[in-house]
Each structure stands twice: as C-alpha cells, then as structure tokens.
Amino acid sequence: MAERRADDHAWLEVACDLAALCPPSVTAFSVGAVVVDGDGRELARGHSREGDPHDHAEEAALAKIEGIDLGAATVYSSLEPCGQRKSRARTCAALILAAGVRRVVFAWTEPSLFVEGTGAELLRAHGVEVVQLPELADRARLPNAHLL
Ligand SMILES: [Zn+2]
C-alpha cells in the first residue's frame, strides 16, 4: 500500500525546484529528482540534461550513487519516471528497478506528448511503492509551460 510520509512533500519540493536548473529544451521535459535514504538523508540529486542533452533527472541522480544499498531509499521526481523513452535504451523506471529502489514519489503524471507515460504502472507492477502528490503537479509543470 502506497502511503505518504511526513517528509515527502518537502523532498518533492526540492525535486520540483531542481527542474529550474535544466537547460531549456523544446523536445524534452525539465525535471528534477532527489534520492533520499531510509533515514531521510539525501544521497544524490539530478536534473534533466545535467551533463548531456539526453540525461533524465532520475538517471542523473542515480548515476551518482555507487555501492549503497537503495532498498530503503526513495526517489523523488517532479515528473513520473519514464516507462518509455526515445533518447536511450533504459528508461528511468528500469533504472530505478535495477538500482533496487522500492519507493518512488512524484508530482506530475507524464503527459502523452513525447511518449506514452507508463512508468508508474511499470514500477507498481514490480512491487515498488509509488506515491503521487498531485498538489505539487502545478509546480512541476511550471518549467514546462512552453511545451504544453
Ligand atoms: Zn526518464
């Protein structure tokens, strides 16, 4: 059962604000992500196109973590992790599963603009706890207003 935790809102706000760091794009969303461990400590953060035009936020954040068990970690992402993508072979949902993360919190459901958004379904199908905080969706949409 997906349950909201006390600090979910604050961490998701951090993720939403990270999206402001993304280099502008007319072909991809601006997204921010933070990975937090089971004790509420930040492990890494990332944003879209951080090091490369094809970087996704969750991908950029997870790439910074090595040798840490992420079984109790939560990935916070302003946008639903992608379940399909055109730019690279591995979706963020697949990367999250491969990293062993069992909990994801996001604000905004991916609109079917570039690809069909099925990341949350995919994660849930693999037993990952997925929580959406819709009250932050407007904040996640803000840096993407030019795409919509
Ligand atoms: Zn992605």
Side-chain angles (χ1 to χ4, degrees), residues 56-121:
H56 284 193
E58 306 93 312
E59 180 177 42
L62 288 170
K64 292 169 191 162
I65 302 170
E66 261 180 71
I68 298 176
D69 181 357
L70 295 179
T74 299
V75 170
Y76 293 91
S77 180
S78 60
L79 178 67
E80 176 186 3
C82 61
Q84 295 181 49
R85 74 191 279 188
K86 291 173 179 167
S87 57
R88 285 183 184 148
R90 295 184 91 192
T91 64
C92 290
L95 292 167
I96 286 166
L97 290 171
V101 175
R102 307 299 298 154
R103 189 167 189 271
V104 172
V105 178
F106 72 97
W108 183 28
T109 301
E110 180 165 9
S112 305
L113 187 59
F114 303 122
V115 293
E116 208 65 42
T118 56
E121 285 170 34

Side-chain angles (χ1 to χ4, degrees), residues 39-50:
D39 297 319
R41 284 182 300 248
E42 177 176 335
L43 296 172
R45 53 175 63 190
H47 59 268
S48 310
R49 302 177 290 289
E50 183 173 316

Side-chain angles (χ1 to χ4, degrees), residues 3 6 17-18 20-21 24 35 41 52 65 67 75 90 98 102 110 113 116 121-122 126 129 135 138 142 147-148:
E3 275 182 42
D17 289 348
L18 280 168
L21 302 174
V35 185
R41 284 182 300 248
D52 176 279
I65 302 170
V75 170
R90 295 184 91 192
R102 307 299 298 154
E110 180 165 9
L113 187 59
E116 208 65 42
E121 285 170 34
L122 189 78
H126 284 85
E129 181 184 2
E135 74 269 23
D138 282 346
L142 202 62
L147 297 170
L148 305 170

Side-chain angles (χ1 to χ4, degrees), residues 15-30:
C16 288
D17 289 348
L18 280 168
L21 302 174
C22 302
S25 170
V26 293
T27 55
F29 292 114
S30 291

